[in-house]
Amino acid sequence: MSLTRRTLLAAAPLAAAAPIGGSALAQSANPASTAAPPAAPTQQAPSFYRFKVGDFTVTAFHEGINNRPLDAGFVKNAPLEDVQKAAERAFLPKDRLPISFTTLLVNTGRNLVLIDTGFGDNGAASVGGTWRNLRAAGVEPGQIDTVIISHFHGDHITGVRLKDGSDAFPNAQVVVPTAEWAFWMDDAKMSAAPDAMKGAFQLVRRQFGPIQAKVGRYESGKEVVPGITALDASGHTPGHSIFAITSGNGRLLAVSDITNHPALFVRNPDWAAVFDMDADQARATRRRVLDMAASEKMQLAFYHAPFPAAGHVVKDGNGYEFVPVQWSSVL
């Protein structure tokens, strides 16, 4: 019988009706077949992925995933129909966007550096993977000596402190962009902010206020720790930063939130996401970074991309195409 769409669809109910493992007689003779199946799990196994950048070891942690309605307000300068078509092309739902989060742990041999914290133990069950999976990867939070924050949105800073108020990384210095600190810790800017943004200001103060004495600042264009250099990528937020990670001939560009989902904003870099505080500047930054990465064939690590959220981009018409890394079972 030839394989056609009709025969494929017709086979589905037949397969569902057929007993697993042979005939009904064979099943009844097998004691195991009468046992109740194990309860279906609700979460994946620990999700982390290691790869090398020169002599550095980078571990990507799947922090989790949230679903956001894919409505007319999500992309501010494109028709909803076009956005839905882009999602459909990537086999994503047309009514919601699954937004994933990926943090990075960089072992330079001298420093153990966490780039962004995720939600810690403060979020919903669908997030918090960084905190849960550190120990699965053989790392104790107290071993981390530096926590680098790319910008002050909640999915990047909420894990700085735990739900009980304690310091999540007690032996680490937390370093943040100077421009980001200046904006979010400014009382006048908080007072003038629209009501929808006041919660973000309050979160920043709640997370950093109690540990303010150990919070350092870094400038764009400077090494934060040896081998990790902060680069200006403002637009998404006033001090939004990305990071060039270099060791020997190895190069990785951790691009934070220059895109929200590659299927939308790598393919359509001129689209403006609702999360971008300065849409024009964010678009210019996105173009600049993606063009540099494509022309220099640099490997990228995204904060928002399907796990492990690393790969390359290639020029494709007026946009770019995201090419994920080849998963490897060895370093």
Side-chain angles (χ1 to χ4, degrees), residues 14-234:
L14 293 175
I20 298 173
S23 69
L25 179 61
Q27 279 202 309
S28 64
N30 181 0
S33 68
T34 62
T42 59
Q43 289 187 332
Q44 299 286 359
S47 305
F48 59 89
Y49 181 72
R50 295 188 179 100
F51 56 98
K52 299 291 286 187
V53 177
D55 292 328
F56 293 176
T57 300
V58 178
T59 305
F61 290 104
H62 181 56
E63 165 62 20
I65 193 164
N66 276 338
N67 287 290
R68 188 203 185 279
L70 194 58
D71 54 26
F74 184 66
V75 179
K76 297 186 291 185
N77 63 338
L80 177 59
E81 181 182 2
D82 290 350
V83 178
Q84 290 175 326
K85 285 180 180 178
E88 193 172 26
R89 179 184 174 189
F91 296 91
L92 296 171
K94 294 174 64 175
D95 61 341
R96 58 186 172 83
L97 185 67
I99 300 175
S100 61
F101 314 97
T102 302
T103 58
L104 293 180
L105 183 72
V106 185
N107 187 340
T108 72
R110 296 174 57 185
N111 298 97
L112 193 58
V113 182
L114 182 66
I115 300 179
D116 290 326
T117 67
F119 293 91
D121 65 347
N122 297 279
S126 63
V127 296
T130 301
W131 184 248
R132 290 192 300 269
N133 294 329
L134 273 168
R135 289 186 175 91
V139 179
E140 292 293 328
Q143 293 178 282
I144 295 171
D145 59 67
T146 310
V147 174
I148 302 176
I149 300 297
S150 64
H151 64 294
F152 282 3
H153 280 167
D155 53 324
H156 298 257
I157 67 169
T158 304
V160 167
R161 295 196 305 123
L162 299 178
K163 189 185 301 184
D164 65 6
S166 62
D167 192 342
F169 307 100
N171 299 318
Q173 182 185 28
V174 178
V175 288
V176 305
T178 298
E180 198 76 350
W181 184 272
F183 178 85
W184 293 99
M185 299 300 279
D186 187 307
D187 291 338
K189 286 185 170 58
M190 181 174 175
S191 297
D195 288 343
M197 280 188 64
K198 290 193 186 301
F201 278 91
Q202 291 164 359
L203 175 65
V204 169
R205 285 131 191 269
R206 188 163 62 247
Q207 294 306 103
F208 291 115
I211 61 169
Q212 187 166 342
K214 64 179 276 185
V215 177
R217 322 281 197 274
Y218 64 80
E219 304 287 343
S220 295
K222 304 291 186 181
E223 275 194 327
V224 185
V225 299
I228 303 179
T229 299
L231 303 173
D232 173 50
S234 48

Side-chain angles (χ1 to χ4, degrees), residues 287-324:
R287 279 274 182 194
R288 171 172 55 84
V289 173
L290 293 177
D291 189 61
M292 176 182 67
S295 62
E296 297 188 15
K297 298 183 178 180
M298 294 184 69
Q299 183 172 333
L300 304 179
F302 292 85
Y303 195 76
H304 300 295
F307 190 73
H312 295 81
V313 293
V314 294
K315 195 80 174 72
D316 183 20
N318 191 46
Y320 305 84
E321 189 74 20
F322 173 51
V323 182

